[in-house]
Amino acid sequence: MGRYFGTSGIRGKVGEFLTPELALRAGRALGEYLGGGEVAVGRDARVHGQAIASAVIAGLLSQGCRVVDVGVVCTPTLGCYVVEEGLDAGVMVTASHNPPEYNGIKFWNEDGMAFTPDQEREIEELMDGELSYPGWREFREAEGDGSAPRVHVERILEEVGADGEGLRVVVDCANGPSALVTPVVLREMGCEVITLNAHLDGHFPGRHPEPRPEHLEDLMRAVRSVGADLGIAHDGDADRVVFVTEEGEFAGYDEVLALVCRRILEEKGAGKVAVNVDASMVVDEVVRELGGEVVRTRVGDVYVAEAIKREGCVFGGEPNGTWIHPDVHLCPDGPLSAAWMVSLLVEEDRPLSELLEEVPRYPTLRESVECPEELKPRVMECVERRVREEYDRIDTVDGVRVELEDGWALVRPSGTEPLVRVTVEAESRERAEELRDEFVRLVRECLREVGG
Ligand code: MG
């Protein structure tokens, strides 16, 4: 983690960590990094979005960039717009699923992929360095373009086709910009769409912007009461999507991911699929059955996107509902994923709950061990050494992941809290408990060994 950039761009409470001054600096640094160039700037519906975005825009203009202000949009709308318009970069002012007092700044490349940590380090250096201004003739005015949501809608329709006839869908937009895209796309596909929280409001009066099951009770109730075929919910900037079955039940993250992987591989023939180290072995099972290959990545959409590029994957995703469809762009796209799920239901002509039943489900257990920040690297070294003495199939792309015949275990330091997390999954509950106990014990022993 750098000085300004965390796990997902620059993120913090406005007026404390994130200020217009910092945003101005970030904008200038990006302009310098690009050497001028054409940049789209968008923001989610947060109350301080305009203040932060205006500062970013001022920074970009001050380095001689051409700036297109696309206003309030979904993060994937910005990614799509950058690609479709052939721009050099995008800036999204968003704090995704965080509470309303937060905001953030995230940079995007010309192919819709988030800036990598290496690129972010370069930006940080420029932010702290001495920046010069271009000649007075190089300054321009920002252009406004309100067409970005329409560009996104058209691109999604082109990708998934327009078949949604006869499906009744409830969409919970979290008072965020997904309201500008998802209901529009689904209606144009022929669905009957009922919306919840579809007015933009940065106070998030409808629900918490993180689409966890405990925040989606209204959606589950609405699906049941109107007899809908599907419930859809996004986070605050719509790079994520989650689903509720026709029975009003939250559809499990991993089962849905496996279902999508299966569908994509059936469509494309064999191929590689990128998922993070935390995704269920259900994905491996489904992908292997179809002759595909799973590429495991670090947790974070940028790592999934990098793996897709590097390995030529046909799809990538994380269990939290960020899915990347590389044919369109490399930004996780909630509205596109929602349209994709609708087309899957129409083609299968079976309810989601029934499709999910075909995907095996295994118990996953999680436990955390307290560990001071400064001891984390040594604890992880010890865990890796001890694990190598005992097991063969070890992946250290993010933490230490051990692959077993009947399950897996992952030991990973938390990026934000003084904790080391243990995640295990196994074919039976008893085996999962056994694995959890074994790996929690290992972390505790290592903690003692390094003097914790
Ligand atoms: Mg998000």
Side-chain angles (χ1 to χ4, degrees), residues 96-97 235 237-240:
S96 186
H97 57 273
D235 68 333
D237 66 328
D239 57 348
R240 286 170 65 178

Side-chain angles (χ1 to χ4, degrees), residues 238-394:
D239 57 348
R240 286 170 65 178
V241 67
V242 300
F243 299 99
V244 167
T245 71
E246 81 290 352
E247 290 171 337
E249 304 285 339
F250 186 82
Y253 298 106
D254 284 294
E255 290 81 35
V256 171
L257 183 61
L259 197 63
V260 174
C261 288
R262 187 177 78 184
R263 181 71 186 171
I264 287 189
L265 284 181
E266 279 170 354
E267 222 169 65
K268 303 250 180 198
K272 292 183 186 177
V273 165
V275 298
N276 72 27
V277 288
D278 205 32
S280 163
M281 61 187 183
V282 167
V283 174
D284 300 84
E285 250 174 61
V286 164
V287 170
R288 241 179 268 140
E289 229 165 72
L290 291 165
E293 193 186 319
V294 173
V295 178
R296 292 274 176 179
T297 76
R298 293 182 67 177
V299 175
D301 63 80
V302 65
Y303 301 110
V304 175
E306 267 188 322
I308 289 174
K309 253 172 113 167
R310 191 181 63 240
E311 309 273 342
C313 301
V314 292
F315 175 75
E318 299 189 275
N320 68 357
T322 48
W323 304 350
I324 299 177
H325 306 260
D327 289 349
V328 180
H329 53 79
L330 291 172
C331 172
D333 193 327
L336 169 60
S337 303
W340 212 91
M341 179 60 86
V342 163
S343 75
L344 185 148
L345 287 185
V346 169
E347 276 173 39
E348 292 276 349
D349 199 22
R350 283 187 296 160
L352 180 58
S353 66
E354 206 179 300
L355 293 171
L356 289 172
E357 270 168 30
E358 295 172 4
V359 179
R361 200 165 304 190
Y362 299 121
T364 301
L365 301 176
R366 297 174 197 276
E367 196 163 316
S368 300
V369 178
E370 278 183 41
C371 174
E373 205 56 49
E374 65 278 9
L375 292 180
K376 280 180 183 174
R378 283 165 60 210
V379 167
M380 290 308 297
E381 268 171 40
C382 166
V383 167
E384 188 181 338
R385 192 186 71 242
R386 295 268 305 266
V387 159
R388 284 198 189 282
E389 286 166 10
E390 209 152 323
Y391 299 100
D392 310 322
R393 287 190 288 161
I394 295 153

